[in-house]
């Protein structure tokens, strides 16, 4: 053995730790004493918290073993590895013992709990609570059921769309001011997250000959977010193309839909409006009673299909006419269920969703 440098270490005498100046042999002996005392101390613990406190007493940053290791630098280069190696062995042994004792305590607690709380297998089962479709799904299904009874098909399309199908084919060329009405999510390759489900109408007309009648439910996206707007929301759009279709047909259909969704509505009105893909265009409002009096609320937009849209898909506007409409599913759900914050639909709060069970 080389030169033995003296080192202030913690000696344990009758369970009391005291500082002493020792050489390498004495230091290793002190580490062994700490190990023996720590093992006995850990085994004497009566609870998990008590066990943890005793572990910290020996292995914590201010524990006995760390106190010795903080002064190892005073030893010679030959002796330092010996002390470090022994300290690591003891540390791992104490950590393993601690974990073993923790597991044993947990097993005892579990066994005691099982013995105390024996399950009575003769009791009837409590069952699981009934789930429910999401309120937006309920509204979508209700609108779909209304239109399928009228002979409409359901069509779906891509949510990532080309500029052509989302804008140009709907009579919204690149320089059209209507593009400023919609804050659009653009992708690096020039495609967009569709801003309305009207793109489905173009896809469908390109692959089907008239007459036709479809509705197109789905998610749409716009750069907008507050209490009544979401960057992702749901629409249901409808399209009917046939010969001698009139605006009166459109009004009668939507008036019946409003009556179906909102039996309490007093009447429906159509206000002149503008949409690039319909001409003439209108907003659909309904009137109903509230505690503060009669109110009119908008539920969607509609209009006769613009001849320019028919030309894009190869339909002869002199032979065919049609109408289209668009409804916001969230808006209908908020009105129907009395919800004031659109964000409630997306928080997945079970307390909220459970109200629609059954």
């Amino acid at each position: 053995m080389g030169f033995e440098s003296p080192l202030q270490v913690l000696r344990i005498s009758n369970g009391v730790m005291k500082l002493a100046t020792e050489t390498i042999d004495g230091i290793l002996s002190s580490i062994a004493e700490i190990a023996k005392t720590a093992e006995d101390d850990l085994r004497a613990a009566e609870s998990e918290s008590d066990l943890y406190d005793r572990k910290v007493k020996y292995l914590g940053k201010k524990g006995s073993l760390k106190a010795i290791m903080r002064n190892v630098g005073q030893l010679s280069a030959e002796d330092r590895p010996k002390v470090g190696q022994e300290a690591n062995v003891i540390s791992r042994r104490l950590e393993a013992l601690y974990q073993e004792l923790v597991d044993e305590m947990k097993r005892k607690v579990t066994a005691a709990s099982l013995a105390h709380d024996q399950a009575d297998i003769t009791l009837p089962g409590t069952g699981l609570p009934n789930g429910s479709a999401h309120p937006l799904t309920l509204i979508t299904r209700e609108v779909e059921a209304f239109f399928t009874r009228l002979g409409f098909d359901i069509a779906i399309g891509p949510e990532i769309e080309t500029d052509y199908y989302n804008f140009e084919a709907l009579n919204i060329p690149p320089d059209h001011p209507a593009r400023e009405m919609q804050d659009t999510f653009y992708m690096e390759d020039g495609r967009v997250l569709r801003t309305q489900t009207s793109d489905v109408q173009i896809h469908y007309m390109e692959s089907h000959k008239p007459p036709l009648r479809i509705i197109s439910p789905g998610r749409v996206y716009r750069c907008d977010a507050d209490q009544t707007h979401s960057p992702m929301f749901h629409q249901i759009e409808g399209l009917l193309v046939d010969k001698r279709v009139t605006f009166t047909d459109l009004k009668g259909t939507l008036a019946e839909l409003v009556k179906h969704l909102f039996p309490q509505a007093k009447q429906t009105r159509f206000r002149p409006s503008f949409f690039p893909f319909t001409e003439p265009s209108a907003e659909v409002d309904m009137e109903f009673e509230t505690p503060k009096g009669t109110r009119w609320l908008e539920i969607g937009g509609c209009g006769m299909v613009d001849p320019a849209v028919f030309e894009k898909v190869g339909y002869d506007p002199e032979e065919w006419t049609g109408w289209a409409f668009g409804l916001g599913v969230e808006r209908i759900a908020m009105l129907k269920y009395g919800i004031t914050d659109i964000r409630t639909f997306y928080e997945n709060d079970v307390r909220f969703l459970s109200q629609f069970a059954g």
Side-chain angles (χ1 to χ4, degrees):
M1 183 178 295
F3 175 75
E4 297 181 341
S5 302
L7 177 65
Q8 290 264 298
V9 299
L10 285 168
R11 299 268 317 164
I12 299 179
S13 177
N14 297 324
V16 179
M17 293 179 289
K18 299 179 180 180
L19 279 175
T21 303
E22 295 193 9
T23 58
I24 181 65
D25 290 334
I27 295 169
L28 295 176
S29 175
S30 295
I31 293 176
E33 287 182 37
I34 291 175
K36 177 65 172 63
T37 304
E39 289 181 4
D40 294 341
D41 207 13
L42 290 173
R43 294 183 189 280
E46 298 180 352
S47 65
E48 282 191 50
S49 60
D50 183 26
L51 180 61
Y52 179 78
D53 291 340
R54 295 178 187 227
K55 171 194 170 186
V56 172
K57 174 182 175 182
Y58 298 101
L59 299 179
K61 290 183 178 180
K62 297 181 180 180
S64 309
L65 206 55
K66 294 293 184 183
I68 291 179
M69 297 307 296
R70 278 197 294 271
N71 296 311
V72 164
Q74 300 177 26
L75 294 173
S76 66
E78 179 185 356
D79 292 336
R80 281 197 297 271
K82 298 176 183 178
V83 175
Q85 182 178 8
E86 183 65 17
N88 287 334
V89 170
I90 297 301
S91 178
R92 287 194 294 270
R93 194 167 80 203
L94 293 178
E95 285 282 2
L97 175 61
Y98 167 78
Q99 192 58 52
E100 177 186 332
L101 294 173
V102 167
D103 293 341
E104 179 62 24
M105 286 182 176
K106 289 182 177 178
R107 282 193 293 270
K108 289 181 179 179
V109 170
T110 301
S113 176
L114 290 175
H116 181 268
D117 302 322
Q118 287 288 344
D120 186 350
I121 61 174
T122 65
L123 290 174
T126 56
L128 296 174
N130 291 330
S132 157
H134 193 279
L136 298 181
T137 302
L138 294 174
I139 293 297
T140 300
R141 289 176 180 174
E142 190 171 356
V143 175
E144 288 175 349
F146 175 86
F147 280 99
T148 53
R149 287 196 296 269
L150 297 180
F152 281 69
D153 292 326
I154 299 174
I156 59 174
E159 296 178 20
I160 299 177
E161 193 57 275
T162 64
D163 183 276
Y164 175 80
Y165 284 101
N166 194 75
F167 290 120
E168 191 170 344
L170 293 168
N171 201 32
I172 311 176
D175 58 347
H176 199 290
R179 293 205 181 203
E180 298 179 4
M181 297 167 58
Q182 303 175 5
D183 296 322
T184 308
F185 288 103
Y186 285 91
M187 304 180 70
E188 292 183 357
D189 60 2
R191 292 183 298 169
V192 301
L193 296 181
R194 66 181 181 187
T195 56
Q196 65 271 319
T197 56
S198 305
D199 64 318
V200 178
Q201 300 176 14
I202 302 300
H203 285 291
Y204 195 88
M205 286 191 287
E206 285 182 339
S207 58
H208 293 76
K209 294 181 179 180
L212 56 86
R213 56 186 70 187
I214 63 167
I215 58 170
S216 52
R219 287 185 292 262
V220 297
Y221 305 85
R222 297 181 189 177
C223 302
D224 201 358
D226 57 35
Q227 187 174 351
T228 57
H229 297 85
S230 169
M232 185 281 295
F233 56 102
H234 299 76
Q235 277 190 346
I236 298 179
E237 299 205 10
L239 171 70
L240 184 146
V241 179
D242 208 330
K243 295 180 179 179
R244 296 184 296 278
V245 175
T246 68
F247 197 89
T248 302
D249 301 321
L250 171 62
K251 290 181 64 177
T253 302
L254 294 184
E256 285 300 314
L257 174 64
V258 171
K259 190 183 301 182
H260 172 75
L261 293 174
F262 301 97
Q264 74 275 26
K266 300 179 65 175
Q267 59 180 323
T268 305
R269 74 180 181 188
F270 293 75
R271 289 181 292 108
S273 185
F274 167 77
F275 302 108
F277 30 85
T278 55
E279 179 58 37
S281 303
E283 300 281 1
V284 185
D285 300 335
M286 67 175 185
E287 182 187 28
F288 63 96
E289 292 288 344
T290 71
K292 297 182 179 180
T294 301
R295 291 186 61 192
W296 286 95
L297 288 174
E298 173 195 333
I299 64 168
C302 63
M304 300 299 293
V305 179
D306 194 296
V309 175
F310 281 155
E311 292 173 356
K312 287 285 186 180
V313 297
Y315 287 8
D316 183 359
E318 297 296 328
E319 181 180 3
W320 302 102
T321 55
W323 50 252
F325 68 86
L327 306 173
V329 178
E330 280 83 352
R331 180 182 290 271
I332 294 175
M334 292 174 76
L335 293 174
K336 191 174 182 68
Y337 300 129
I339 298 168
T340 58
D341 192 330
I342 193 173
R343 293 166 292 193
T344 310
F345 292 123
Y346 318 120
E347 292 172 347
N348 290 327
D349 189 326
V350 175
R351 295 169 300 176
F352 168 74
L353 297 176
S354 62
Q355 298 176 74
F356 302 90

